[in-house]
């Protein structure tokens, strides 16, 4: 039982490049989330998926897209990376009835 | 909009002393208050939570208290150990809304041996 896994762990992009961050969970959770973490700002929600087949915007969705590929996988795509997207990205999943979130180890992204 | 404030931003204590972190929230509809611990290079991990129908909850050396009237909740760690050193986040959410989990900015706790 690996919990929530994320790939890659680190990534450096040039401005304008695109990339996809991958997330998978093996806990059979319905809900999945993407957050970004910046110094002194806690975690801010980018997008979430309450269940397979649905996605919704969070607090800071601009510049990102997501895909809920199946119940296990939820990917985050940056179409044209900007320096403001330099951050640590966390994926999380949740048992809907208990509202307890489980986080992955994070992806540290630098955009130059 | 809704927000969660957290104080202090940094906290340094001697091993064996107690540590207290305080949070306030603005959304009066919040009814679930989790606390997460984030060690260096890792994702946040849930350590304790409290629901709005409970005023206090304990788990070994960790306790959380909730004052819904004042919209305050606090984390208390007793007999601190060096392995308690981490960043702690409080959060507030409505159990009826999947997107309404608002995190505080975090408290960096250092336990000095």
């Amino acid at each position: 039982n690996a919990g929530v896994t994320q790939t890659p762990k680190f990534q450096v992009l040039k401005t304008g490049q695109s990339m996809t961050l991958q997330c998978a969970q093996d806990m059979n959770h319905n809900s999945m989330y993407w957050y970004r973490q910046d110094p002194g700002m806690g975690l801010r929600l980018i997008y979430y998926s309450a269940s397979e087949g649905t996605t919704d915007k969070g607090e800071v969705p601009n510049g990102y897209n997501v895909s809920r590929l199946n119940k296990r996988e939820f990917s985050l795509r940056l179409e044209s990376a900007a320096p403001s997207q330099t951050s640590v990205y966390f994926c999380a999943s949740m048992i809907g009835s208990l509202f307890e979130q489980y986080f992955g180890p994070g992806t540290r992204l630098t955009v130059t | 909009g809704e927000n969660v404030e957290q104080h202090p931003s940094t906290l340094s204590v001697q091993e064996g002393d107690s540590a207290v972190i305080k949070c306030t929230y603005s959304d009066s509809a919040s009814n679930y208050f989790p606390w997460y611990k984030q060690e260096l290079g890792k994702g946040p991990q849930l350590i304790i939570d409290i629901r709005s129908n409970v005023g206090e909850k304990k788990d070994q050396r960790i306790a959380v208290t909730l004052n819904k009237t004042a919209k305050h909740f606090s984390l208390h760690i007793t007999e601190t150990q060096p392995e308690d050193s981490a960043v702690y986040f409080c959060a507030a959410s409505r159990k009826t809304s999947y997107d309404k989990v608002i995190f505080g900015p975090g408290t960096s706790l250092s336990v000095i041996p």
Side-chain angles (χ1 to χ4, degrees):
Chain A
N1 189 336
V4 180
T5 57
Q6 292 182 236
T7 55
K9 285 188 171 22
F10 302 94
Q11 185 71 47
V12 179
L13 291 177
K14 289 186 164 60
T15 297
Q17 288 185 319
S18 62
M19 78 160 295
T20 299
L21 282 64
Q22 306 286 354
C23 173
Q25 52 92 9
D26 61 1
M27 297 175 283
N28 202 36
H29 289 172
N30 288 323
S31 305
M32 296 186 74
Y33 300 78
W34 276 106
Y35 290 91
R36 60 177 290 171
Q37 183 176 40
D38 302 294
M41 300 189 72
L43 290 145
R44 292 183 293 168
L45 183 64
I46 304 171
Y47 270 93
Y48 70 102
S49 171
S51 62
E52 186 179 356
T54 68
T55 60
D56 285 285
K57 295 178 180 179
E59 182 185 355
V60 288
N62 291 345
Y64 305 95
N65 285 300
V66 290
S67 295
R68 183 75 183 266
L69 304 170
N70 47 55
K71 191 171 185 179
R72 290 186 64 248
E73 298 171 289
F74 189 37
S75 63
L76 178 72
R77 182 159 179 83
L78 286 70
E79 291 290 352
S80 179
S84 60
Q85 295 178 304
T86 293
S87 188
V88 181
Y89 291 86
F90 289 99
C91 176
S93 69
M94 184 173 79
I95 302 173
S97 60
L98 296 179
F99 274 75
E100 297 172 7
Q101 290 190 329
Y102 293 81
F103 285 83
T107 295
R108 185 173 295 273
L109 174 68
T110 302
V111 183
T112 61
Chain B
E2 293 108 357
N3 73 303
V4 174
E5 296 182 357
Q6 185 172 346
H7 299 281
S9 56
T10 59
L11 180 59
S12 195
V13 300
Q14 291 291 135
E15 183 177 357
D17 288 350
S18 295
V20 180
I21 301 169
K22 298 183 178 182
C23 290
T24 60
Y25 61 98
S26 61
D27 182 4
S28 56
S30 296
N31 53 17
Y32 174 65
F33 306 91
W35 286 87
Y36 290 88
K37 176 183 180 182
Q38 185 178 26
E39 296 175 341
L40 196 62
K42 296 185 179 180
Q45 182 177 15
L46 180 71
I47 55 171
I48 195 167
D49 57 17
I50 191 166
R51 286 163 171 79
S52 59
N53 57 347
V54 175
E56 183 176 1
K57 183 177 178 180
K58 283 185 180 180
D59 183 3
Q60 299 182 341
R61 296 185 296 108
I62 294 174
V64 58
T65 58
L66 171 65
N67 182 331
K68 280 219 78 178
T69 303
K71 293 194 248 181
H72 291 171
F73 58 115
S74 300
L75 178 72
H76 304 252
I77 306 174
T78 58
E79 300 173 15
T80 54
Q81 300 168 2
E83 51 265 38
D84 294 329
S85 296
V87 178
Y88 291 81
F89 293 96
C90 62
S93 75
R94 304 176 188 177
K95 286 190 69 181
T96 55
S97 178
Y98 289 92
D99 65 323
K100 291 294 184 184
V101 180
I102 309 296
F103 284 83
T107 295
S108 178
L109 173 64
S110 297
V111 179
I112 303 163

